[in-house]
């Protein structure tokens, strides 16, 4: 009579679930590490960009950036920060509206309503904003173009992050040499702790929407090459010649 050895049966479903869990945990670690390295920029992780107050020159245009601490165009820190959300003020006897402050969800609908109620209708808007919600900037930008409004910055004003999408909407755009326009990466999803294919899909969809919008506004979408390589905690400041190259402003006649 031979001895029989009983071996435990393997559960193939359990093994599959285990490997799926390990795979998802690995993705979460990689995505979180990416946030730490590129988004949060913790001390000791990579080189630090110069302060935003330091002047830019060709090849040295990336600066540290915090929306709540953005000074105007390389000038000293203002005594009072910009409003947390867009604030509309009628200026120049009603000829233009000044939009100052961060862009938060819901600002597009609110500012559109305020602009529509102005009498007389302004001919354009002046911008001074550290940016914010991309979707609201795109929605409000399309409203500005449909309303046939011009856009402008004043001496020392800033237009960073999502604000250049509002600037792009103007039927005519005015940017003084001492104003400052800058771009960087945006977040398009609520959280990066998602399956990788979901995060990539959100990013691709968002970037595609932005590039189509810029093209509709007559801006060269290649400006996004600077945004895509600049982390959210830094800003790439566009030089006057780049503003001309990407068609934010017209080149002088005869050039």
């Amino acid at each position: 009579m031979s001895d029989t050895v009983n071996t435990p049966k393997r559960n193939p479903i359990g093994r599959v679930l285990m490997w799926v869990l390990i795979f998802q945990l690995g993705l979460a670690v990689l995505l979180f590490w990416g946030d730490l390295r590129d988004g949060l920029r913790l001390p000791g992780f990579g080189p630090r960009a110069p302060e935003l107050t330091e002047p830019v020159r060709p090849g040295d245009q990336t600066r540290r950036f915090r929306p709540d601490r953005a000074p105007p165009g390389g000038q000293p820190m203002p005594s009072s920060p910009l409003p947390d959300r867009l604030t509309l003020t009628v200026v120049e006897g009603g000829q233009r509206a000044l939009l100052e402050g961060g862009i938060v969800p819901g600002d597009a609908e609110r500012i559109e309503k305020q602009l529509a109620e102005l009498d007389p209708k302004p001919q354009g808007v002046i911008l001074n904003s550290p940016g914010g919600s991309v979707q609201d900037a795109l929605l409000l930008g399309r409203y500005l173009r449909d309303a046939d409004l011009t856009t402008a910055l004043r001496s020392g004003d800033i237009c960073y992050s999502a604000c250049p999408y509002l600037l792009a909407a103007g039927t005519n755009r005015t940017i003084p040499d001492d104003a400052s326009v800058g771009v960087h990466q945006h977040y398009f999803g609520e959280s990066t702790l998602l399956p990788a294919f979901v995060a990539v899909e959100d990013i691709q969809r968002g970037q595609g929407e932005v590039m189509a919008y810029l093209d509709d506004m007559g801006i060269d979408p290649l400006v996004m090459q600077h945004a895509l390589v600049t982390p959210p905690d830094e800003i790439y400041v566009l030089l006057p010649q780049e503003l001309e190259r990407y068609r934010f402003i017209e080149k002088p006649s005869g050039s």
Side-chain angles (χ1 to χ4, degrees), residues 91-92 96-100 124-128 152-154 157:
V91 296
E92 299 178 4
R96 290 199 284 185
L98 171 63
L99 298 181
E100 285 192 298
V125 297
I126 300 171
L127 303 168
N128 189 22
L153 305 182
R154 302 164 303 183
D157 281 344

Side-chain angles (χ1 to χ4, degrees), residues 19 59 72 119 122 125 127 148 153 159 193 204 215 240:
W19 282 111
D119 186 17
V125 297
L127 303 168
D148 200 30
L153 305 182
C159 188
L193 296 181
Q204 289 179 334
D215 187 59

Side-chain angles (χ1 to χ4, degrees), residues 23 43 61 67 75 89 101 121-122 132 136 145 192 199 209 211 241 250:
F23 178 71
Q61 296 161 246
Q75 296 181 9
T89 306
K121 174 187 173 183
D136 280 76
R145 175 58 63 90
T192 57
E209 184 179 356
M211 295 180 74
Q241 55 266 39
E250 294 183 3

